[in-house]
Amino acid sequence: MNTPNTTWFNRHSSASFARLMPRLRHRFSAVPEPEWQAFAARMERHFPRLFIILHELYGQHYDFFYHLECILATAVERWVARPDELKALDAVRETDPSWYQSHQLIGYILYVDLFAGDLKRLCERIPYLKEIGVTYLHLMPIFKCPTGDNDGGYAISSYREIEPRLGTMDQLAELTRHLRTHGISLCLDFVFNHTSDEHEWAQRALQNSLEHQEYYRMYDDRALPDQFEQTVRSVFPDEHPGCFTYRSRIRKWVWTTFKNYQWDLNYENPAVFNRMADEMLFLANQGVEVLRLDAVAFLWKRLGTSCENLPEAHRLIQAFNALVRIAAPAMVFKSEAIVHPDEVARYIAEDECQLSYNPLLMALLWNALATREVGLLRHSLRKRFALPTNTAWVNYIRCHDDIGWTFSDDDARELGINPADHRRFLNDFFTGQHPASFANGLPFQLNPITGDQRISGMAASLCGLERARQAGDERLADLAIRRLLLLHGIILTIGGIPLIYAGDEIGTLNDYRFRDHPDQEGDSRWVHRLPFDWERADDRRDPATPEGRLFAGLLKLIRVRQNNAAFTRSETEVIDTGNPHVLGYFRQHFEQSVLVLANFTEQVQDIQAVRLRQLGLRRTQTDIVSGQLVTASQSLKLDPYQFMVLVRTRTPETPTSP
Ligand code: GLC
Ligand code: GLC
């Protein structure tokens, strides 16, 4: 990246702005003046940083200014096409930019086909989502993709067409409108690291269009691919080791980080940035409020590096962010970086991704269940949970992907844990091989060279419900449900947006039928991507069933979150409870201070009275989950896997002076 000095930039940025704006105004002369003024003000605010970034990335191109103008024109065009109701939402969000930090937010992730059949029928399921309290809905990819294997929709053939099985763009618009009237924000993926090989650009490239071949990363021979593969990891080693795929028709090696039909885009080409900015703003105009940026780590490549998390990847996202602030400010970004926690954190900023998955919390919650100890979880949270203002975590237990053990090796070593041995233990535990295990999980993508492995499975199976069912053992089933509630209790209260994976609210178990399916058998993630069982869901109303107990328990925890302002924002003070099996943290909001306690074992655990007093618990507290009263004069007992939220018991109103 070229980095001339600030004065140079300021001068050139203002000069470019002064030159480009009248040209754009002329091109879009139909826009009424007052509207244009408001837009121009946003442009003026965000242009300097956009200019700097684009110059860093593309300034060496002789036709840089041509590209810059094209990119700005894309922003104007998309803003002009933006529906009025979304422009109204833009205005609302601009006055409340950190709306996503609210404790009212409850996220839910689903596959449209597996949950409802198609977009139309999904509309009919909104009452179920409302029953749970969902206010943020993430639909797994719904755009056109190859038939057969398509990486669960993550191989996109057109960003403008819905996969015909699922419906039409009009139905998406209809759904989005319905969701908005019910106070539910839509989240969709922006799969922008790659397209499918059936995308028009890829098809043109296969027909030897040089212009389109430059949209991707292609090599005539193995010279460069061999060099890259010295330092780049294989994400899906089962599918193809290395990250290139040979296409005999054009006699070229194509960069394919993920599956061989997912072609990585070449962001060194400014035309690609512009085309993708257009696709992104098109998505924004469909009413997307949270855009999940898929596979952010891989956007940029440089020889001699891991080709993950390069500075240019951040700059690209920041440039996209600036365009959204200009042309669709109601939308925010969520980063999907399943990498080392230091790297995850680097994507989180108001001018990059306001939201980020929290893969560290996810992995360490599973770790705490397996080890029955909270040391690594506590240590890592203390170091890494705090975030910059106006950003938030998206906390989850399970999602459509595998569980990777992406904790920091240093954090582990600081506690005397050998990271490699420990990951082996976790894989043994969650594939059910370890004697202390209660889990039914499947291995995912064992890399024979590095020994790296991940885990697939539904939360309920990983928590022991599958084994309990097989054994017909009520006590084990009870423990499994307690584990599920414990994990959900934490993501609901620790700070950030909680995401529930469809089916987890009714304890859905693994589905092994993918093994009979030729397009799925090689990818164990399908064990946890299964049709929503509406019949079992009907049992949610029956407290005598495990589904009923789980569902009722979860609803109670959701209400605890939504009724207490202490759960807004991400500021959390993780404490030492004095008991290695009990996690504890304070949440504070103005006068309300709440202490959350979580027992990660199947035994009763104590917290000493003196410890409670040291933590400042003087008066009587109420556990708002169970209703139980707690005094600091005696030690506190937590039942197996008990999850407590202690709130100071209200004393009778004392008159306050005005
Ligand atoms: C993301 C998705 C994952 C997909 C990959 C490639 O990580 O979550 O499911 O395989 O990107 O698009
Ligand atoms: C890797 C990637 C992540 C992707 C996952 C799919 O962990 O880093 O982006 O979601 O693989 O399994």
Side-chain angles (χ1 to χ4, degrees):
M1 289 192 281
N2 1 348
T3 40
N5 64 43
T6 335
T7 345
W8 185 94
F9 268 124
N10 290 343
R11 197 152 31 89
H12 282 259
S13 156
S14 330
S16 314
F17 187 75
R19 189 161 45 150
L20 287 169
M21 280 311 269
R23 291 168 61 103
L24 290 170
R25 182 64 181 123
H26 184 70
R27 262 172 85 173
F28 297 93
S29 55
V31 177
E33 188 57 23
E35 266 193 63
W36 179 265
Q37 286 302 331
F39 176 79
R42 286 210 299 269
M43 185 77 115
E44 191 168 3
R45 197 155 62 243
H46 298 286
F47 182 82
R49 69 177 171 117
L50 182 63
F51 177 80
I52 292 180
I53 299 167
L54 292 177
H55 193 276
E56 281 181 18
L57 293 172
Y58 304 120
Q60 78 282 18
H61 290 255
Y62 74 92
D63 52 355
F64 170 69
F65 283 95
Y66 162 76
H67 289 292
L68 180 64
E69 186 169 348
C70 290
I71 291 165
L72 295 182
T74 299
V76 186
E77 247 168 72
R78 286 290 153 216
W79 168 71
V80 169
R82 190 157 169 84
D84 287 339
E85 58 205 276
L86 293 178
K87 286 185 177 163
L89 186 65
D90 290 338
V92 173
R93 296 291 197 232
E94 281 189 307
T95 60
D96 178 21
S98 56
W99 60 275
Y100 43 80
Q101 296 188 319
S102 160
H103 57 295
Q104 297 303 330
L105 281 193
I106 302 289
Y108 193 80
I109 332 168
L110 58 84
Y111 282 96
V112 173
D113 52 348
L114 297 177
F115 186 77
D118 55 28
L119 288 172
K120 196 156 164 284
R121 280 176 284 171
L122 182 55
C123 275
E124 295 158 19
R125 295 296 188 186
I126 292 178
Y128 178 76
L129 301 177
K130 297 276 293 179
E131 188 183 332
I132 299 176
V134 172
T135 52
Y136 162 129
L137 181 64
H138 178 192
L139 304 182
M140 297 306 295
I142 51 176
F143 291 96
K144 201 168 156 206
C145 57
T147 38
D149 193 7
N150 52 40
D151 194 23
Y154 280 96
I156 293 194
S157 305
S158 165
Y159 297 89
R160 310 268 172 121
E161 288 163 83
I162 301 289
E163 170 60 27
R165 285 181 306 116
L166 303 178
T168 62
M169 287 305 294
D170 284 344
Q171 286 169 350
L172 175 63
E174 179 74 13
L175 172 71
T176 314
R177 253 194 311 277
H178 274 296
L179 292 175
R180 253 202 317 277
T181 55
H182 287 286
I184 302 177
S185 297
L186 177 68
C187 168
L188 288 184
D189 279 87
F190 187 39
V191 185
F192 68 139
N193 175 68
H194 43 267
T195 74
S196 93
D197 60 358
E198 293 184 11
H199 190 285
E200 189 199 330
W201 304 337
Q203 287 297 307
R204 296 265 198 95
L206 283 171
Q207 286 151 13
N208 271 315
S209 153
L210 201 62
E211 180 194 342
H212 294 93
Q213 289 185 353
E214 284 173 359
Y215 278 27
Y216 299 96
R217 293 180 172 264
M218 301 194 168
Y219 305 87
D220 292 332
D221 53 43
R222 284 291 310 181
L224 279 168
D226 282 342
Q227 286 183 53
F228 274 114
E229 280 179 1
Q230 308 259 315
T231 51
V232 170
R233 78 174 160 128
S234 294
V235 176
F236 291 153
D238 285 359
E239 144 77 21
H240 65 114
C243 25
F244 298 88
T245 302
Y246 188 65
R247 296 304 292 242
S248 52
R249 183 142 155 220
I250 46 174
R251 302 204 186 147
K252 284 184 197 299
W253 289 91
V254 184
W255 196 305
T256 54
T257 296
F258 295 91
K259 307 232 173 175
N260 57 26
Y261 49 80
Q262 286 164 307
W263 289 14
D264 288 48
L265 286 160
N266 173 20
Y267 280 98
E268 275 174 55
N269 178 352
V272 168
F273 179 84
N274 184 31
R275 298 297 294 264
M276 291 307 286
D278 200 18
E279 302 304 324
M280 174 188 70
L281 293 173
F282 173 84
L283 272 176
N285 285 356
Q286 308 316 305
V288 175
E289 291 179 48
V290 177
L291 194 67
R292 173 190 184 276
L293 300 187
D294 183 61
V296 289
F298 304 91
L299 294 174
W300 198 272
K301 283 80 172 163
R302 192 181 326 119
L303 208 56
T305 71
S306 67
C307 298
E308 286 186 45
N309 311 304
L310 293 178
E312 289 87 346
H314 292 279
R315 300 308 261 161
L316 279 169
I317 301 168
Q318 290 158 8
F320 283 121
N321 175 301
L323 287 171
V324 170
R325 300 274 70 75
I326 293 168
M331 189 167 80
V332 295
F333 287 168
K334 172 172 68 166
S335 139
E336 190 247 349
I338 315 301
V339 288
H340 188 284
D342 289 345
E343 298 295 347
V344 172
R346 293 201 176 101
Y347 293 92
I348 311 172
E350 231 181 322
D351 65 358
E352 195 165 332
C353 295
Q354 298 90 339
L355 303 173
S356 166
Y357 279 101
N358 192 345
L360 180 66
L361 176 68
M362 184 276 293
L364 291 183
L365 285 174
W366 290 109
N367 171 72
L369 273 190
T371 57
R372 279 84 164 172
E373 294 202 338
V374 300
L376 187 55
L377 177 59
R378 183 181 60 220
H379 183 62
S380 302
L381 288 176
R382 276 184 161 172
K383 280 172 78 173
R384 303 171 184 282
F385 194 76
L387 286 183
T389 40
N390 291 341
T391 61
W393 288 117
V394 174
N395 297 315
Y396 64 114
I397 296 162
R398 291 298 296 118
C399 69
H400 70 291
D401 275 333
D402 45 285
I403 301 174
W405 306 114
T406 56
F407 57 81
S408 147
D409 289 7
D410 290 339
D411 294 1
R413 283 194 205 100
E414 281 154 21
L415 299 188
I417 299 169
N418 174 313
D421 289 351
H422 193 59
R423 288 195 177 90
R424 218 165 298 127
F425 158 76
L426 290 168
N427 283 323
D428 282 353
F429 188 94
F430 285 105
T431 51
Q433 294 169 54
H434 192 277
S437 176
F438 42 73
N440 287 85
L442 292 182
F444 180 66
Q445 303 289 339
L446 171 69
N447 185 328
I449 300 165
T450 59
D452 179 50
Q453 190 191 293
R454 284 113 81 186
I455 295 291
S456 294
M458 286 299 288
S461 291
L462 298 172
C463 281
L465 196 58
E466 193 173 321
R467 286 201 185 190
R469 280 269 161 79
Q470 277 158 1
D473 188 325
E474 289 284 324
R475 198 190 62 91
L476 293 185
D478 176 62
L479 289 176
I481 288 170
R482 285 167 181 260
R483 290 184 191 109
L484 281 165
L485 288 172
L486 176 80
L487 297 190
H488 282 96
I490 290 172
I491 62 164
L492 283 160
T493 56
I494 196 161
I497 302 176
L499 258 194
I500 300 168
Y501 186 56
D504 282 349
E505 72 277 22
I506 51 165
T508 308
L509 302 178
N510 287 346
D511 184 342
Y512 299 95
R513 285 173 296 179
F514 78 98
R515 286 173 172 154
D516 308 324
H517 203 301
D519 295 327
Q520 299 176 348
E521 59 170 352
D523 188 331
S524 70
R525 288 176 299 172
W526 287 99
V527 81
H528 56 250
R529 298 173 177 176
L530 51 142
F532 190 84
D533 189 340
W534 287 101
E535 240 167 73
R536 276 191 75 184
D538 283 343
D539 288 341
R540 71 185 182 276
R541 299 203 182 86
D542 179 356
T545 62
E547 289 78 7
R549 277 192 42 221
L550 180 57
F551 193 82
L554 187 62
L555 284 199
K556 189 189 254 177
L557 295 172
I558 289 172
R559 303 300 168 245
V560 163
R561 170 184 171 88
Q562 291 186 320
N563 293 336
N564 288 281
F567 301 118
T568 24
R569 297 211 180 82
S570 302
E571 290 135 40
T572 302
E573 188 198 340
V574 180
I575 54 145
D576 185 350
T577 60
N579 180 324
H581 312 290
V582 180
L583 181 73
Y585 48 86
F586 274 111
R587 299 274 322 167
Q588 201 107 30
H589 187 75
F590 297 110
E591 307 93 276
Q592 197 187 23
S593 168
V594 167
L595 175 62
V596 177
L597 294 172
N599 173 3
F600 273 83
T601 68
E602 45 270 88
Q603 284 89 37
V604 172
Q605 297 294 339
D606 286 327
I607 304 203
Q608 304 275 298
V610 46
R611 188 78 198 108
L612 292 173
R613 285 194 297 275
Q614 283 164 353
L615 291 170
L617 262 60
R618 298 237 144 46
R619 298 191 221 167
T620 313
Q621 310 273 319
T622 309
D623 167 25
I624 52 175
V625 180
S626 69
Q628 176 193 341
L629 289 183
V630 171
T631 53
S633 55
Q634 63 200 60
S635 76
L636 172 60
K637 289 207 181 317
L638 284 102
D639 284 340
Y641 297 112
Q642 187 168 4
F643 177 77
M644 280 189 167
V645 177
L646 297 181
V647 178
R648 187 183 298 160
T649 307
R650 271 182 219 289
T651 41
E653 287 290 316
T654 41
T656 44
S657 42

